[in-house]
Amino acid sequence: MFKDLEVYVINLDRSPERMKSMDKRLKALGLSYTRISAVDGKKTEFGTNEVNAKKYERCHGKYITPTEVACFVSHYNVMKEFCENSDKKFALVLEDDMIFADDFLDVLKAILKNKSWDLVKLNGGHSGGNVRAVKLTGKYSLVLNAFHQSKTGAYLINRKAGKSYYEKLLPMFVPIDHEYIKFWKYKIRGFSVAPFPSWEEEGPSTIDYKMVKKNRRPWYKNFPKLAYKFYIALYRLVWIMPEILKNKFTFRNK
């Protein structure tokens, strides 16, 4: 079942203990993997090819931090690795702090048997307004999300999604989890699993979220951010409605 699956783990060189923990978890699942050395935002200077800082400020309402750019570029590097150095059909992309449900492999197998997706998110910060789509296995379903769904700690992509992200991701102007869900831009079908079969291990993040919060712009400079959010919400509505009508999805109550 997994012969067509590439597994990537994004890990900072200065976080060897995280890699040891992930290695143990993946070996317990029987999954071989390739480690991708994460870009270190504390040691890297980024140029205009990697990030548009002014556009980030307008669209996200914050001043950008190097660790956010590093996270974004690290995920881009996975797309590059997958497209240039792998002939597998699918890739499972993991950040190095993920924990897996006991039936994670069953969920993975069920998703790979389904051919209707280009990207599937396996973790998230909230449900994202789930729209029921396809029963997978046990308690799990493949769902559309009516709203933004944060985090990119674990997700599956096929080659179509990998190629589209590789060609269009850079330069960054919003965080990676905000960019990945622009399915209309990348011309892909994106879903998530409900409930999530993986989640983040408790502990400090390598992204300095305290600094991210401090970097918020004053409220009176946030009108461009609100306009951008409205634009994205409208695009998402236009994208999702044909999917709902075509597949006769029903909205979930929870």
Side-chain angles (χ1 to χ4, degrees):
M1 175 59 66
F2 301 128
K3 62 182 176 63
D4 289 325
L5 178 68
E6 200 81 67
V7 181
Y8 297 104
V9 178
I10 301 172
N11 170 252
L12 279 166
D13 293 343
R14 56 183 166 87
S15 299
E17 293 304 316
R18 285 190 176 212
M19 193 64 249
K20 286 181 181 178
S21 296
M22 278 298 293
D23 179 75
K24 184 177 179 180
R25 291 174 195 142
L26 291 173
K27 282 181 177 176
L29 291 172
L31 293 175
S32 59
Y33 65 89
T34 298
R35 177 184 175 273
I36 301 295
S37 180
V39 178
D40 194 333
K42 295 183 179 181
K43 297 180 179 181
T44 308
E45 291 187 7
F46 300 100
T48 54
N49 288 333
E50 289 83 25
V51 59
N52 185 330
K54 291 297 182 183
K55 192 172 181 180
Y56 181 95
E57 292 170 17
R58 292 196 305 271
C59 295
H60 200 52
K62 299 175 184 177
Y63 301 108
I64 204 162
T65 63
T67 52
E68 288 179 293
V69 184
C71 177
F72 193 104
V73 176
S74 295
H75 281 271
Y76 167 81
N77 287 344
V78 175
M79 301 301 111
K80 181 179 181 180
E81 176 69 21
F82 181 47
C83 290
E84 293 186 352
N85 298 315
S86 174
D87 59 358
K88 302 288 182 69
K89 294 180 180 179
F90 309 103
L92 171 63
V93 184
L94 303 168
E95 295 179 355
D96 62 3
D97 58 348
M98 299 308 299
I99 296 176
F100 309 100
D102 292 339
D103 49 4
F104 181 80
L105 289 182
D106 294 333
V107 178
L108 207 56
K109 290 176 183 177
I111 297 171
L112 292 176
K113 287 180 180 178
N114 186 296
K115 305 299 183 183
S116 64
W117 56 272
D118 299 306
L119 173 139
V120 180
K121 293 189 68 175
L122 302 171
N123 89 306
H126 48 78
S127 70
N130 292 342
V131 180
R132 185 175 297 280
V134 177
K135 187 75 173 179
L136 288 172
T137 181
K139 63 184 178 181
Y140 300 98
S141 295
L142 194 65
V143 299
L144 286 170
N145 299 113
F147 311 111
H148 168 71
Q149 187 184 76
S150 61
K151 299 186 179 181
T152 52
Y155 56 91
L156 276 165
I157 56 171
N158 61 16
R159 295 207 70 84
K160 178 182 177 182
K163 183 175 184 293
S164 189
Y165 284 133
Y166 180 32
E167 293 174 349
K168 301 176 184 178
L169 269 179
L170 295 180
M172 170 193 184
F173 64 90
V174 289
I176 187 67
D177 55 338
H178 289 246
E179 186 64 24
Y180 264 7
I181 58 174
K182 296 175 183 175
F183 305 127
W184 55 90
K185 174 180 177 180
Y186 296 97
K187 295 181 172 55
I188 61 174
R189 298 191 76 199
F191 298 84
S192 67
V193 176
F196 297 119
S198 57
W199 54 91
E200 295 161 321
E201 182 180 23
E202 291 185 8
S205 172
T206 52
I207 296 178
D208 190 352
Y209 283 112
K210 289 184 178 179
M211 181 58 69
V212 171
K213 290 180 179 179
K214 288 180 181 179
N215 276 1
R216 288 195 179 109
R217 300 202 313 172
W219 66 268
Y220 56 84
K221 291 186 177 182
N222 279 342
F223 293 109
K225 168 189 170 182
L226 296 175
Y228 173 77
K229 283 193 168 185
F230 176 79
Y231 161 79
I232 292 299
L234 183 61
Y235 249 101
R236 190 173 190 88
L237 179 63
V238 171
W239 172 80
I240 200 172
M241 286 309 297
E243 293 286 328
I244 294 172
L245 296 173
K246 179 172 62 177
N247 294 284
K248 298 180 181 179
F249 296 135
T250 56
F251 281 92
R252 301 178 67 191
N253 293 324
K254 63 179 180 178

